[in-house]
Amino acid sequence: MALPAARVLREGKTPPPWERDAIELAKACLPNHDPYHLLARFEVQDPGTSRYYEIDLLVVGYSQLYLVECKGHPGLIEGDARDWYWTPEAGGSRRYFGEHPLRLNNHKAKIVKGILEKRLAAAGVKGPAPYVEPLVFLSAPGLKTSFRDGGELGVVTRATFERAITRAEFPGSRLANAPFSQRPAIQSQVLRPLFQILRSDPAFRASKSKLTVLGYELGGVIREGTPFQARI
């Protein structure tokens, strides 16, 4: 089991090593058969604000698509459905606060689904576009978590990523109550134009290796929300 290059529909540049590790782990986990395909490191534009959002991974799964936000924070992550706290070193005194990443990733998922709905309709596909499920992938080896009150919703780790994508088994899955044999598959008449759209449509543009503002090269994202993005 491993996703070959032919099933990677699009892939932008990935400067951070931890992000590259997460993407390569995803490729290694995914089956080499339809419908599984992947896009990595691309950007989409919010039609409401014209802002571009970075997407780490988009995976075409059996019943739906998965929009995956990769987080490589080591140490300890704890919190609830709204707020997260990150302690980089076990027993350390440094502790960082941030919003649960699922909220922003859900916003990105809605943008992607909206684009696909328009493109598939233009291609003559009848019916709704596949559902786009947002996930947060905590990819650091040895990471410890302590969640409460919904903090675990939509969160997967190195140990649970594969079954999350291939079986929709993760906290908060909308498909969890239905046996796998009873879940609807994305139909072939949808998959063919879907693959073509994801591979070549300019709405999904590959991320560049460097981002510059006024001549200064920006590093990786350290914090992000719906109205802002903070970089090194």
Side-chain angles (χ1 to χ4, degrees), residues 34-182:
D34 283 341
Y36 297 98
H37 284 68
L38 174 150
L39 284 80
R41 289 290 296 167
F42 63 97
E43 299 174 346
V44 293
Q45 187 177 33
D46 184 343
T49 64
S50 297
R51 173 188 168 180
Y52 280 93
Y53 286 94
E54 288 186 352
I55 309 294
D56 294 332
L57 284 172
L58 180 66
V59 181
V60 181
Y62 180 77
S63 299
Q64 58 190 12
L65 276 61
Y66 296 90
L67 193 76
V68 183
E69 177 74 13
C70 300
K71 297 295 184 184
H73 302 66
L76 169 67
I77 293 180
E78 53 192 328
D80 54 27
R82 179 177 178 177
D83 300 324
W84 274 15
Y85 298 88
W86 171 43
T87 305
E89 300 176 0
S93 59
R94 290 186 302 162
R95 196 168 184 244
Y96 300 93
F97 163 79
E99 184 181 80
H100 192 315
L102 192 65
R103 179 185 176 189
L104 176 59
N105 210 36
N106 185 52
H107 178 68
K108 295 178 183 179
K110 291 177 180 178
I111 295 173
V112 170
K113 189 173 191 299
I115 294 172
L116 292 177
E117 285 177 340
K118 293 180 180 179
R119 298 299 195 271
L120 288 171
V125 176
K126 296 181 180 180
Y131 185 78
V132 182
E133 179 76 59
L135 292 177
V136 178
F137 179 22
L138 302 181
S139 62
L143 174 73
K144 297 184 182 301
T145 60
S146 179
F147 294 125
R148 63 185 185 281
D149 301 330
E152 75 286 355
L153 296 178
V155 176
V156 299
T157 65
R158 298 176 78 93
T160 62
F161 180 87
E162 179 181 338
R163 292 193 68 84
I165 299 297
T166 60
R167 293 283 174 172
E169 295 178 3
F170 56 88
S173 172
R174 69 189 188 96
L175 300 175
N177 293 329
F180 187 80
S181 60
Q182 298 179 14

Side-chain angles (χ1 to χ4, degrees), residues 5-22:
R7 294 188 178 276
V8 179
L9 300 174
R10 196 186 298 242
E11 185 168 8
K13 302 295 183 181
T14 310
W18 60 264
E19 199 167 80
R20 168 54 53 193
D21 174 68

